[in-house]
Amino acid sequence: MKAAAFNYQRVHSIQEALALLANHGDNAKLIAGGQSLLPSLNMRLSNPEILIDLQGIAELKGITFEGSLVRIGAMTTHTEIQHSKIIQEQLPLLTEAVPHIAHRAIRNLGTWGGSCVLGDPAAEWPACAVALDAMMVIAGPKGQRKVAAKDFFLDLYTTALQADEILVASEFTITSAKRVHYFEELSRRHGDYAVTGLVCSLYLEQNKITQSRFVYFSVASIPLLAQGLQSVLHNQSISDLSNPSLIAQAQHSVQAEIQTLSDLTNSAEMKKHLLGVLLERAMKKLVS
Ligand SMILES: Cc1cc2nc3c(=O)[nH]c(=O)nc-3n(C[C@H](O)[C@H](O)[C@H](O)COP(=O)(O)OP(=O)(O)OC[C@H]3O[C@@H](n4cnc5c(N)ncnc54)[C@H](O)[C@@H]3O)c2cc1C
C-alpha cells in the first residue's frame, strides 16, 4: 500500500515548526527519520495533510557535553550516538544499547527523539532514558519545559508531549560518583524488538550502592522502573549482588511489583518469569 497524498514542508527553526503545528493542528505530523512514521503512512494508519520535516533544524542535531550536562539533540541518529566519543565516555550504557536497535539501515536514519516520542514499550531508548534519569526538553507555544523521563512515558505509544509541542533534546547530569551499568535484552533474533529487556544504572560510594535504577522494557505499556528494588539494594555492597538470598529477595520484589502484559507471541507469565531471569544475570554480572 502507498501513503495518501500529503503536503510536505522542510523547516529550519523550531519556531517555524511550532507555527506550522499551531496552524494545522491534528492535520500536521512531524517527521524525523521516518522509520516509524513512513510505514504507518503507507499502511494508512495515519493520514496527515502535511508533514513537517525536522531535518533542516541544526539546533535539534548532535551531542554536546558542557559543565555537567550531556545533551542529545532529538534529531541525533542512533548511529551518531553509537559513534559518539562523548557517549562512549560519559554514558557508555547507550553505546552498549545501540546495536540492539533494529538494523544498520534503520539506525542510520532513526533518531533519539523519534524513538522517545513514539513511546514504543519495546524500544531501547525510552528505557535507557528512564534508567539514566534523563530530562526531556520540550518546546511549545508557551516556551520550553522539562519533564523527567520517568514522567514522560505515560502509556502505550503515549507520552507527556502535547500535539503542539516538539521534543528538542534530552539532558543527562553527569556527577563525579562512580556509576556502573548493565544492559541485556532477550529477542528471537538479533535486531528484533526485545521479548523482555533490562537496563540498569547504579551509583556507588565506596563500593556501596547509593542509588539503583533497574528499568524493564517490553514487559508493560511503558518502560518500568523497579521502585521496590531501590530499597532492597540500598546500601548493599556491590560484591553482595551475587549473594543467592539477595538475588531471591530482589526477584521477589520485582515479580511482586511489576504487572507484566502479554504481547502477540509471549504470555504475561513468561514475561514475569523473564523479569527474574534477567535480574539474576544482571546482579551476577554487576559484581564483576
Ligand atoms: C523494521 C524496523 C525494526 C525496528 N526495530 C527497532 C528496535 O529493535 N528497537 C527500537 O527501539 N526501535 C526499532 N525500530 C524503530 C526505530 O528505532 C526508529 O528510530 C524509531 O521508530 C523512530 O523513528 P524516527 O526517528 O525515524 O522517527 P519518525 O518515524 O520520523 O517519527 C516517529 C514519531 O515521532 C514523532 N516525532 C519524531 N521526532 C519528533 C520530535 N523531535 N518531536 C516531536 N515528535 C517527534 C513523529 O511525528 C512520529 O509520530 C524499528 C523500526 C523498523 C522499521
Side-chain angles (χ1 to χ4, degrees):
M1 227 202 277
K2 289 286 170 217
F6 51 79
N7 291 315
Y8 167 88
Q9 192 155 342
R10 179 168 282 202
V11 289
H12 294 89
S13 73
I14 293 174
Q15 287 317 318
E16 209 185 330
L18 288 174
L20 279 173
L21 277 181
N23 275 347
H24 292 276
D26 287 346
N27 294 321
K29 206 81 182 120
L30 297 170
I31 178 163
Q35 294 306 288
S36 293
L37 185 60
L38 291 181
S40 86
L41 297 187
N42 287 341
M43 286 186 278
R44 309 248 172 147
L45 297 172
S46 173
N47 196 10
E49 267 172 18
I50 180 168
L51 285 191
I52 305 166
D53 187 346
L54 302 177
Q55 285 293 347
I57 308 181
E59 200 183 330
L60 297 182
K61 294 184 178 174
I63 299 166
T64 55
F65 181 29
E66 278 169 21
S68 58
L69 274 194
V70 172
R71 182 183 184 278
I72 302 180
M75 287 297 289
T76 310
T77 65
H78 308 322
T79 300
E80 284 164 344
I81 294 172
Q82 181 168 20
H83 297 308
S84 161
K85 279 267 171 302
I86 294 174
I87 298 296
Q88 284 160 21
E89 284 164 14
Q90 305 301 332
L91 299 168
L93 170 60
L94 300 183
T95 314
E96 214 172 294
V98 182
H100 297 274
I101 302 176
H103 305 282
R104 187 176 297 277
I106 292 162
R107 294 198 292 268
N108 286 344
L109 291 170
T111 63
W112 170 269
S115 175
C116 289
V117 172
L118 188 67
D120 186 328
E124 288 78 3
W125 285 156
C128 290
V130 177
L132 293 169
D133 208 8
M135 289 301 285
M136 314 303 266
V137 184
I138 294 167
K142 293 184 190 140
Q144 273 206 359
R145 67 187 180 109
K146 293 186 184 181
V147 177
K150 70 174 172 42
D151 303 321
F152 184 76
F153 303 100
L154 299 181
D155 204 345
L156 198 64
Y157 300 109
T158 308
T159 70
L161 199 80
Q162 301 296 310
D164 55 359
E165 293 180 318
I166 296 173
L167 180 69
V168 172
S170 294
E171 291 175 349
F172 303 79
T173 303
I174 308 297
T175 66
S176 57
K178 187 172 174 199
R179 200 178 207 179
V180 292
H181 70 268
Y182 178 82
F183 180 96
E184 183 167 0
E185 71 176 52
L186 302 169
S187 56
R188 284 153 65 92
R189 284 173 310 191
H190 190 83
D192 281 6
Y193 277 106
V195 171
T196 300
L198 176 60
V199 184
C200 321
S201 174
L202 303 189
Y203 281 102
L204 304 175
E205 234 170 69
Q206 289 164 353
N207 286 330
K208 293 232 161 149
I209 298 168
T210 54
Q211 219 195 99
S212 60
R213 298 179 72 86
F214 285 71
V215 180
Y216 284 98
F217 59 102
S218 209
V219 296
S221 55
I222 54 169
L224 284 181
L225 176 64
Q227 302 278 7
L229 203 49
Q230 300 189 69
S231 49
V232 172
L233 298 182
H234 186 73
N235 234 3
Q236 296 286 342
S237 162
I238 184 89
S239 55
D240 285 343
L241 285 185
S242 59
N243 179 321
S245 74
L246 187 61
I247 291 174
Q249 197 189 341
Q251 286 174 319
H252 177 75
S253 166
V254 297
Q255 284 169 332
E257 176 185 342
I258 294 179
Q259 298 309 308
T260 50
L261 295 175
S262 59
D263 60 28
L264 289 176
T265 44
N266 304 282
S267 68
E269 292 71 28
M270 153 88 133
K271 292 195 181 224
K272 186 148 281 211
H273 169 71
L274 294 177
L275 299 178
V277 172
L278 286 181
L279 184 58
E280 179 169 4
R281 286 189 192 173
M283 289 174 72
K284 288 180 171 168
K285 191 73 200 280
L286 281 162
V287 172
S288 55

Coordinates of all heavy atoms in Angstrom, one line a residue, residues 23-79:
N23 N -0.9 26.1 13.2 CA -1.8 26.3 12.1 C -2.6 25.1 11.7 O -3.8 25.2 11.4 CB -1.0 26.8 10.9 CG -0.7 28.2 10.9 OD1 -1.3 28.9 11.7 ND2 0.2 28.7 10.0
H24 N -1.9 24.0 11.7 CA -2.6 22.8 11.1 C -3.2 21.8 12.1 O -3.9 20.9 11.8 CB -1.6 22.0 10.2 CG -1.2 22.8 9.0 ND1 -2.0 22.7 7.8 CD2 -0.2 23.6 8.7 CE1 -1.4 23.5 6.9 NE2 -0.3 24.0 7.5
G25 N -2.9 22.0 13.4 CA -3.5 21.2 14.5 C -3.2 19.7 14.2 O -2.1 19.3 13.8
D26 N -4.3 18.9 14.4 CA -4.1 17.4 14.3 C -3.9 17.0 12.8 O -3.6 15.8 12.6 CB -5.4 16.8 14.7 CG -5.6 16.8 16.3 OD1 -4.5 17.1 16.9 OD2 -6.7 16.6 16.8
N27 N -4.0 17.9 11.9 CA -3.8 17.5 10.5 C -2.3 17.5 10.1 O -1.9 17.2 9.0 CB -4.5 18.4 9.5 CG -6.0 18.3 9.7 OD1 -6.5 17.1 9.9 ND2 -6.8 19.4 9.7
A28 N -1.4 18.0 11.0 CA 0.0 18.0 10.8 C 0.7 16.9 11.5 O 0.3 16.4 12.6 CB 0.6 19.4 11.2
K29 N 1.8 16.4 10.9 CA 2.7 15.4 11.6 C 4.1 15.8 11.4 O 4.5 16.1 10.3 CB 2.4 14.1 10.9 CG 2.6 12.8 11.7 CD 1.4 12.5 12.7 CE 1.7 11.3 13.5 NZ 1.7 11.5 14.9
L30 N 4.9 15.8 12.5 CA 6.3 16.0 12.4 C 7.0 14.7 11.8 O 6.5 13.6 12.1 CB 6.9 16.3 13.7 CG 6.4 17.5 14.5 CD1 6.9 17.6 15.9 CD2 6.9 18.8 13.7
I31 N 8.0 14.9 11.0 CA 8.8 13.7 10.6 C 10.2 13.9 10.9 O 10.8 15.0 10.6 CB 8.6 13.4 9.1 CG1 9.4 12.2 8.7 CG2 8.8 14.6 8.2 CD1 9.0 11.5 7.4
A32 N 10.8 12.9 11.5 CA 12.3 12.9 11.9 C 13.0 12.0 10.9 O 13.3 12.5 9.8 CB 12.4 12.4 13.3
G33 N 13.3 10.8 11.2 CA 13.9 9.9 10.2 C 12.9 9.1 9.4 O 13.3 8.4 8.4
G34 N 11.7 9.2 9.8 CA 10.6 8.5 9.0 C 10.5 7.0 9.2 O 9.8 6.3 8.6
Q35 N 11.4 6.5 10.1 CA 11.5 5.0 10.2 C 10.3 4.3 10.8 O 10.0 3.2 10.6 CB 12.7 4.6 11.1 CG 14.0 5.0 10.4 CD 14.1 4.4 8.9 OE1 14.2 3.2 8.8 NE2 13.9 5.3 7.9
S36 N 9.5 5.0 11.6 CA 8.2 4.5 12.1 C 7.0 5.2 11.4 O 6.0 4.6 11.1 CB 8.1 4.7 13.6 OG 9.0 3.9 14.2
L37 N 7.3 6.5 11.1 CA 6.1 7.3 10.5 C 5.8 6.8 9.1 O 4.6 6.6 8.8 CB 6.5 8.8 10.5 CG 5.3 9.7 10.1 CD1 4.1 9.5 11.0 CD2 5.8 11.1 10.0
L38 N 6.8 6.6 8.3 CA 6.5 6.3 6.9 C 5.8 4.9 6.8 O 4.8 4.8 6.0 CB 7.8 6.3 6.0 CG 8.4 7.7 5.8 CD1 9.6 7.7 5.0 CD2 7.3 8.7 5.2
P39 N 6.2 3.9 7.5 CA 5.4 2.6 7.4 C 4.0 2.9 7.8 O 3.0 2.3 7.3 CB 6.1 1.7 8.4 CG 7.5 2.2 8.5 CD 7.4 3.7 8.3
S40 N 3.8 3.7 8.9 CA 2.4 3.9 9.3 C 1.6 4.7 8.3 O 0.4 4.5 8.1 CB 2.4 4.5 10.7 OG 2.4 5.9 10.7
L41 N 2.2 5.6 7.6 CA 1.5 6.3 6.5 C 1.2 5.4 5.3 O 0.1 5.4 4.8 CB 2.4 7.5 5.9 CG 2.7 8.6 6.8 CD1 3.4 9.7 6.1 CD2 1.5 9.2 7.5
N42 N 2.2 4.5 5.0 CA 2.0 3.6 3.9 C 0.9 2.6 4.2 O 0.1 2.1 3.4 CB 3.3 2.8 3.6 CG 4.3 3.7 2.9 OD1 3.9 4.7 2.3 ND2 5.5 3.3 2.9
M43 N 0.7 2.3 5.5 CA -0.4 1.3 5.9 C -1.7 2.1 6.1 O -2.7 1.5 6.6 CB 0.0 0.6 7.1 CG 1.1 -0.5 6.8 SD 1.4 -1.6 8.3 CE 2.6 -0.6 9.2
R44 N -1.6 3.4 5.9 CA -2.8 4.3 6.1 C -3.3 4.3 7.5 O -4.5 4.4 7.8 CB -3.9 4.0 5.1 CG -3.4 3.9 3.7 CD -4.0 5.0 2.8 NE -3.3 5.1 1.5 CZ -4.0 5.4 0.4 NH1 -5.2 5.8 0.5 NH2 -3.3 5.5 -0.7
L45 N -2.4 4.1 8.5 CA -2.8 4.1 9.9 C -2.8 5.6 10.3 O -3.4 5.9 11.4 CB -1.8 3.4 10.8 CG -1.7 1.9 10.5 CD1 -0.6 1.2 11.3 CD2 -3.0 1.2 10.9
S46 N -2.2 6.4 9.5 CA -2.1 7.9 9.8 C -2.3 8.6 8.5 O -1.8 8.1 7.5 CB -0.8 8.2 10.5 OG -0.6 9.5 10.6
N47 N -3.0 9.7 8.5 CA -3.4 10.3 7.2 C -3.3 11.9 7.3 O -4.2 12.6 7.2 CB -4.8 9.9 6.9 CG -5.2 10.2 5.5 OD1 -4.3 10.5 4.7 ND2 -6.5 10.1 5.1
P48 N -2.0 12.4 7.6 CA -1.9 13.8 7.8 C -2.0 14.6 6.5 O -1.8 14.1 5.4 CB -0.5 14.0 8.4 CG 0.3 12.8 7.8 CD -0.8 11.7 7.7
E49 N -2.4 15.9 6.7 CA -2.5 16.8 5.5 C -1.1 17.3 5.1 O -0.8 17.5 4.0 CB -3.3 18.0 5.8 CG -4.8 17.9 5.5 CD -5.6 19.1 6.1 OE1 -5.0 20.1 6.4 OE2 -6.8 18.9 6.1
I50 N -0.3 17.4 6.2 CA 1.1 18.0 5.9 C 2.1 17.3 6.8 O 1.8 17.0 8.0 CB 1.1 19.5 6.2 CG1 2.5 20.1 5.9 CG2 0.6 19.9 7.5 CD1 2.6 21.6 5.8
L51 N 3.3 17.0 6.2 CA 4.4 16.5 7.0 C 5.4 17.7 7.2 O 5.7 18.3 6.2 CB 5.1 15.4 6.3 CG 4.5 14.0 6.2 CD1 5.5 13.0 5.6 CD2 4.0 13.6 7.5
I52 N 5.8 17.9 8.4 CA 6.7 18.9 8.8 C 8.1 18.3 9.0 O 8.2 17.6 10.1 CB 6.3 19.7 10.0 CG1 4.8 20.3 9.8 CG2 7.2 20.9 10.3 CD1 4.2 20.8 11.0
D53 N 9.0 18.5 8.1 CA 10.3 17.7 8.2 C 11.3 18.5 9.1 O 11.6 19.7 8.8 CB 10.9 17.6 6.8 CG 12.1 16.7 6.8 OD1 12.7 16.4 7.8 OD2 12.5 16.3 5.7
L54 N 11.8 17.8 10.2 CA 12.7 18.5 11.1 C 14.1 18.4 10.7 O 15.0 19.0 11.4 CB 12.5 17.8 12.5 CG 11.1 17.8 13.1 CD1 11.1 17.1 14.4 CD2 10.6 19.3 13.3
Q55 N 14.5 17.8 9.6 CA 15.9 17.6 9.2 C 16.6 18.9 9.1 O 17.9 18.9 9.2 CB 16.0 16.8 7.9 CG 15.7 15.3 8.0 CD 16.7 14.5 8.8 OE1 17.8 15.0 9.1 NE2 16.3 13.3 9.1
G56 N 16.0 20.0 8.7 CA 16.7 21.2 8.5 C 17.0 22.0 9.7 O 17.6 23.1 9.7
I57 N 16.6 21.5 10.9 CA 16.8 22.3 12.1 C 18.1 21.9 12.8 O 18.2 20.9 13.5 CB 15.6 22.2 13.1 CG1 14.3 22.4 12.4 CG2 15.8 23.1 14.3 CD1 13.1 22.3 13.3
A58 N 19.2 22.7 12.6 CA 20.5 22.3 13.1 C 20.5 22.2 14.7 O 21.2 21.3 15.2 CB 21.5 23.4 12.7
E59 N 19.7 23.0 15.3 CA 19.6 23.1 16.8 C 19.2 21.7 17.4 O 19.4 21.4 18.5 CB 18.6 24.1 17.1 CG 18.6 24.7 18.5 CD 17.4 25.7 18.6 OE1 17.0 26.4 17.6 OE2 16.9 25.8 19.8
L60 N 18.5 20.9 16.6 CA 18.0 19.6 17.1 C 19.0 18.5 17.0 O 18.7 17.4 17.4 CB 16.7 19.2 16.4 CG 15.5 20.1 16.5 CD1 14.3 19.6 15.8 CD2 15.1 20.3 18.0
K61 N 20.2 18.8 16.3 CA 21.1 17.7 16.0 C 22.3 17.7 16.9 O 22.8 18.8 17.3 CB 21.6 17.9 14.5 CG 20.4 17.7 13.6 CD 20.9 17.7 12.1 CE 19.8 17.4 11.2 NZ 20.1 17.6 9.8
G62 N 22.9 16.6 17.1 CA 24.2 16.4 17.7 C 24.2 16.2 19.2 O 23.2 16.3 19.9
I63 N 25.4 16.0 19.7 CA 25.6 15.6 21.1 C 26.7 16.6 21.7 O 27.7 16.8 21.1 CB 26.1 14.2 21.2 CG1 25.1 13.2 20.7 CG2 26.5 13.8 22.7 CD1 25.6 11.8 20.4
T64 N 26.4 17.2 22.9 CA 27.3 18.1 23.5 C 27.5 17.7 24.9 O 26.7 17.0 25.5 CB 26.8 19.6 23.5 OG1 25.5 19.6 24.1 CG2 26.7 20.1 22.0
F65 N 28.7 18.1 25.5 CA 28.9 17.9 26.9 C 29.5 19.2 27.5 O 30.6 19.6 27.2 CB 30.0 16.8 27.1 CG 30.3 16.4 28.5 CD1 29.4 16.6 29.6 CD2 31.6 15.9 28.8 CE1 29.7 16.3 30.9 CE2 31.9 15.6 30.2 CZ 31.0 15.8 31.2
E66 N 28.7 19.9 28.2 CA 29.1 21.2 28.8 C 28.8 21.3 30.3 O 27.6 20.9 30.7 CB 28.3 22.3 28.1 CG 29.0 22.7 26.7 CD 28.1 23.6 25.9 OE1 27.2 24.3 26.5 OE2 28.3 23.7 24.7
G67 N 29.7 21.7 31.1 CA 29.5 21.7 32.5 C 29.3 20.2 32.9 O 30.2 19.4 32.7
S68 N 28.2 20.0 33.6 CA 28.0 18.6 34.0 C 26.8 17.9 33.1 O 26.3 16.9 33.5 CB 27.6 18.5 35.4 OG 26.5 19.3 35.7
L69 N 26.5 18.6 32.0 CA 25.3 18.1 31.2 C 25.7 17.5 29.9 O 26.4 18.2 29.1 CB 24.4 19.2 31.0 CG 23.3 19.6 32.0 CD1 22.3 20.5 31.4 CD2 22.6 18.3 32.6
V70 N 25.3 16.3 29.6 CA 25.4 15.7 28.3 C 24.0 16.0 27.7 O 23.0 15.7 28.3 CB 25.7 14.2 28.2 CG1 25.5 13.7 26.8 CG2 27.1 14.0 28.8
R71 N 24.0 16.5 26.4 CA 22.7 16.8 25.8 C 22.7 16.1 24.4 O 23.6 16.2 23.6 CB 22.7 18.3 25.5 CG 21.4 18.8 24.9 CD 21.5 20.4 24.7 NE 20.3 20.9 24.2 CZ 20.0 20.9 22.9 NH1 20.8 20.3 22.0 NH2 18.9 21.5 22.5
I72 N 21.7 15.3 24.2 CA 21.5 14.6 22.9 C 20.3 15.3 22.2 O 19.2 15.3 22.7 CB 21.2 13.1 23.1 CG1 22.3 12.4 23.9 CG2 21.0 12.4 21.8 CD1 22.0 10.9 24.1
G73 N 20.6 15.9 21.1 CA 19.5 16.6 20.3 C 18.6 15.5 19.8 O 19.0 14.4 19.5
A74 N 17.3 15.9 19.7 CA 16.3 15.0 19.3 C 16.5 14.3 18.0 O 16.2 13.2 17.7 CB 14.9 15.7 19.3
M75 N 17.2 15.1 17.0 CA 17.4 14.6 15.7 C 18.7 13.8 15.5 O 19.1 13.5 14.4 CB 17.3 15.8 14.7 CG 15.9 16.3 14.4 SD 14.8 15.1 13.7 CE 15.4 15.0 12.1
T76 N 19.4 13.5 16.6 CA 20.6 12.7 16.5 C 20.2 11.3 16.2 O 19.3 10.7 16.8 CB 21.3 12.8 17.9 OG1 21.4 14.2 18.3 CG2 22.7 12.2 17.8
T77 N 20.9 10.7 15.2 CA 20.5 9.3 14.8 C 21.1 8.3 15.8 O 22.1 8.6 16.5 CB 21.0 9.0 13.4 OG1 22.5 9.0 13.4 CG2 20.5 10.0 12.4
H78 N 20.6 7.1 15.8 CA 21.1 6.0 16.6 C 22.6 5.8 16.3 O 23.4 5.6 17.2 CB 20.3 4.7 16.3 CG 18.8 4.9 16.4 ND1 18.2 5.7 17.3 CD2 17.8 4.3 15.7 CE1 16.9 5.6 17.2 NE2 16.6 4.8 16.2
T79 N 22.9 5.8 15.0 CA 24.3 5.6 14.6 C 25.3 6.7 15.1 O 26.4 6.4 15.6 CB 24.5 5.5 13.1 OG1 23.6 4.5 12.6 CG2 25.9 5.3 12.6

